[in-house]
Amino acid sequence: MGDNILIATPTNITLHTADPAVIHDIASRREDFPKPLEYYSILSMFGRNIVTTEGAVWRMHRKVTSPSFNEKNSALVFRAAIDQAQGMTDYWLRTQGDGSFKTVEHDTMSLALNIISYAGFGLRLVWPGQPLPAGSDSSKIARYASFDPPEGHTLTFSESIGGILHHLLPLLLTPKFVLDNLPYQVFKEAKEARENYNLYMQEFLQQKIQDVRRGDRDIGMDLMGSLVATSYQDKEAGSKAGIQLDDSEIIGNAFIMFLAGHETTANVMHFTMLELANNPAAQRHLQQDVDTILGRDTDPATWNYEEKVGAMQASMLGAVMNETLRVMPPVVEVPKKTAKEQTITIDGVRHTLPANTYLGLCVTGCQRNPRYWPARPSKITSAPHDLDDWVPERWFRASISEDEKSDVPETEEFGGYAGPDTSASMFRPVRGSYIPFSDGPRSCLGRRLAIVEVLAALAVIFQKYSIENAVDDWASDEEVARMDQGQKDTLYKKAVQRSRDVIDSCEARVTLKLHNGQRVPLRLVRRGEERFVDKYDL
Ligand code: HEM
């Protein structure tokens, strides 16, 4: 039907676009095409924030939060991701025994939550069985890292955030009075998560106000500290010109940073691991690159962010991350609207959009658009192109045109990381055709953190281990041990097909992920002890 689809109904008009030029134009004209804030009400649950505001209010939120998103803090995220990925692999080895684990989605969520909690808020969360790092602030650990709810709470901090994410839709769609009073289990859980999280955040805010008054700063980004400092110092100095967020806006921004910095990044790690298990050749290529760039026997604690991150991003580590963001972007459509009549140009022809037209920038559509992405016939299906398949090797193909490729994002004046999202030495997509982090001034503030986090976590996991699909549902370890290569290949193909079917069932509910208890069982094996991915190939 083409790259631009206009749906006109008696009540509204919506333009869905997978056209890179149109996407880039709309995303760049922030004031002409604001966000439809009514779509974002769920994200204001705890207070207005950087994601759910527009105009001058948004600028104020962006101004307070963006200074923390700098390269010094990216280095801190790199360290935290290494530490946490080691905690996660140790945890998998302990819990899987000789079998498999089915918790990769849950565990990548914990991994991402632990990283943003530490780098963003100074809260050091650990894996069951992982020792607390020396010098951790014990009072904070007790409240936020505890595996049992602390006094005054019925859920742990992780459970309360997890509960909110899990019940986002009931929390959005059900009026508070109904949700709080009807005896359904799902409502009870949603209410419990909301109340616990709110209480944690109120306590955290009060603690931060005291810290700021004493002049204490937390490690790294200290997002809550920065929000409190700008607001309270201004308030106390009686400044009228300064930035004044109220308490609910401070808590609202903290919520958004936990949410945005958590589920999106976790989904990318989750799907990347599933795809690496399905694509043994890519997994082996990735491990070779890790060996070359970081060394097979080095201690990840010694990896230096500034020295290594560029090469990591230009290697198969960067390619697998980019490819997951292309085929399985956590945010599948970025909504915008016209506040008043606007003109756009499609293939050289000008068109007028009336006021209140809704616009959907189709992330999946433009990222799989054969007009803008070089493609080869699919090896997996009978499709003439491989753009629906996860093929990380495409990031090593030549760019379409030097003139058209995307440049650095145009976000400098709004703070945050100003470099490109993909390595300059790789395939550079046409501007507007690769927008997992959106585009223009309202693009993702945390994209550099997300990229660094995924690169570091994958490097830690695949330096020492391989990930295979579990085959326990069809054959025992003894039976596999007796199989020849042909039988093993047939068995593994079955497991890959199951994984692909499960991945295909993913749905976008806030972010794109598996639902309804769907999961793919995996097995973590030490390198050299693989049963399938060392030989098997497509
Ligand atoms: C792979 C991971 C991530 C993806 C795919 C992603 C994607 C996006 C997208 C598509 C938007 C625009 C949303 C819209 O217009 O409705 C956005 C905005 C945002 N993201 Fe991310 N994000 C990721 C990670 C993060 C992280 C780690 C953080 C922070 C710790 C973060 C913080 C934000 C913020 C604050 C905004 C709002 C920016 C503004 O409106 O000024 N994101 N992100």
Side-chain angles (χ1 to χ4, degrees), residues 35 40 50-51 58 62 116 260-261 264 330 334 436-437 442 444 446 450:
K35 289 183 162 197
Y40 290 79
I50 180 173
V51 174
W58 165 73
R62 182 103 181 183
I116 188 64
T264 45
V334 175
F437 298 108
R442 295 299 301 257
C444 178

Side-chain angles (χ1 to χ4, degrees), residues 96 464-468 523-527 529-530:
Q96 78 174 357
K464 299 270 179 333
Y465 304 98
S466 294
I467 287 186
E468 302 192 319
R523 189 184 274 219
L524 187 72
V525 287
R526 286 180 208 286
R527 281 177 68 186
E529 294 175 14
E530 297 88 351

Side-chain angles (χ1 to χ4, degrees), residues 417-469:
Y417 176 72
D421 292 335
T422 56
S423 169
S425 61
M426 283 182 156
F427 172 77
R428 302 296 299 278
V430 170
R431 186 187 282 273
S433 68
Y434 179 69
I435 54 159
F437 298 108
S438 188
D439 193 10
R442 295 299 301 257
S443 65
C444 178
L445 186 56
R447 61 191 200 284
R448 180 65 176 169
L449 297 194
I451 290 170
V452 166
E453 180 174 335
V454 173
L455 291 174
L458 291 178
V460 167
I461 297 167
F462 290 95
Q463 183 200 31
K464 299 270 179 333
Y465 304 98
S466 294
I467 287 186
E468 302 192 319
N469 282 299

Side-chain angles (χ1 to χ4, degrees), residues 236-383:
E236 284 164 13
S239 157
K240 294 212 166 53
I243 295 170
Q244 305 246 317
L245 300 184
D246 63 25
D247 287 1
S248 80
E249 289 175 315
I250 295 176
I251 291 182
N253 275 303
F255 170 66
I256 255 339
M257 296 299 169
F258 276 120
L259 180 82
H262 171 198
E263 180 160 303
T264 45
T265 320
N267 295 356
V268 175
M269 286 194 253
H270 173 208
F271 286 123
T272 304
M273 284 186 231
L274 299 191
E275 291 292 7
L276 283 167
N278 292 342
N279 291 275
Q283 186 169 162
R284 293 193 295 268
H285 182 164
L286 181 131
Q287 286 168 327
Q288 281 158 13
D289 282 0
V290 171
D291 293 352
T292 310
I293 299 165
L294 300 158
R296 183 155 174 178
D297 298 314
T298 53
D299 176 358
T302 63
W303 297 348
N304 180 298
Y305 170 74
E306 285 82 12
E307 272 173 26
K308 301 292 181 190
V309 76
M312 289 165 77
Q313 200 175 359
S315 75
M316 195 62 165
L317 283 165
V320 298
M321 175 183 66
N322 295 350
E323 186 64 354
T324 302
L325 282 164
R326 187 190 68 81
V327 200
M328 309 288 287
V331 178
V332 299
E333 188 167 276
V334 175
K336 305 276 182 195
K337 69 187 262 191
T338 54
K340 51 183 189 191
E341 193 176 283
Q342 297 295 344
T343 308
I344 55 168
T345 305
I346 300 176
D347 289 335
V349 182
R350 284 163 69 83
H351 299 268
T352 302
L353 298 172
N356 287 321
T357 301
Y358 283 86
L359 305 153
L361 314 185
C362 299
V363 182
T364 34
C366 70
Q367 297 186 162
R368 297 173 180 218
N369 190 334
R371 269 177 77 183
Y372 303 97
W373 289 82
R376 296 183 183 161
S378 171
K379 285 190 189 169
I380 299 173
T381 64
S382 53

Side-chain angles (χ1 to χ4, degrees), residues 38-184:
E38 57 277 25
Y39 284 15
Y40 290 79
S41 51
I42 180 71
L43 301 179
S44 292
M45 197 176 5
F46 297 101
R48 287 194 312 176
N49 56 66
I50 180 173
V51 174
T52 65
T53 46
E54 259 299 345
V57 182
W58 165 73
R59 269 180 181 275
M60 176 178 78
H61 285 265
R62 182 103 181 183
K63 197 167 174 189
V64 192
T65 45
S66 59
S68 300
F69 290 80
N70 54 43
E71 276 301 87
K72 194 164 151 247
N73 287 328
S74 299
L76 183 76
V77 166
F78 187 75
R79 290 258 72 75
I82 287 175
D83 191 40
Q84 284 294 330
Q86 287 178 312
M88 183 171 76
T89 46
D90 290 348
Y91 174 69
W92 282 345
L93 285 180
R94 274 200 308 280
T95 50
Q96 78 174 357
D98 290 333
S100 59
F101 60 94
K102 295 186 177 153
T103 52
V104 60
E105 177 172 291
H106 174 272
D107 297 338
T108 48
M109 292 277 277
S110 300
L111 178 87
L113 177 63
N114 294 2
I115 295 169
I116 188 64
S117 298
Y118 175 61
F121 296 90
L123 305 173
R124 203 137 206 185
L125 311 186
V126 289
W127 291 85
Q130 192 186 20
L132 292 177
S136 308
D137 177 335
S138 56
S139 65
K140 279 183 201 160
I141 294 290
R143 287 205 87 64
Y144 299 97
S146 167
F147 293 113
D148 298 310
E151 205 187 322
H153 291 268
T154 56
L155 297 176
T156 66
F157 178 60
S158 302
E159 285 167 348
S160 71
I161 293 206
I164 288 174
L165 290 176
H166 191 64
H167 296 300
L168 265 183
L169 289 183
L171 284 166
L172 168 66
L173 300 174
T174 322
K176 186 166 180 300
F177 173 79
V178 177
L179 190 126
D180 287 355
N181 290 292
L182 282 191
Y184 298 119

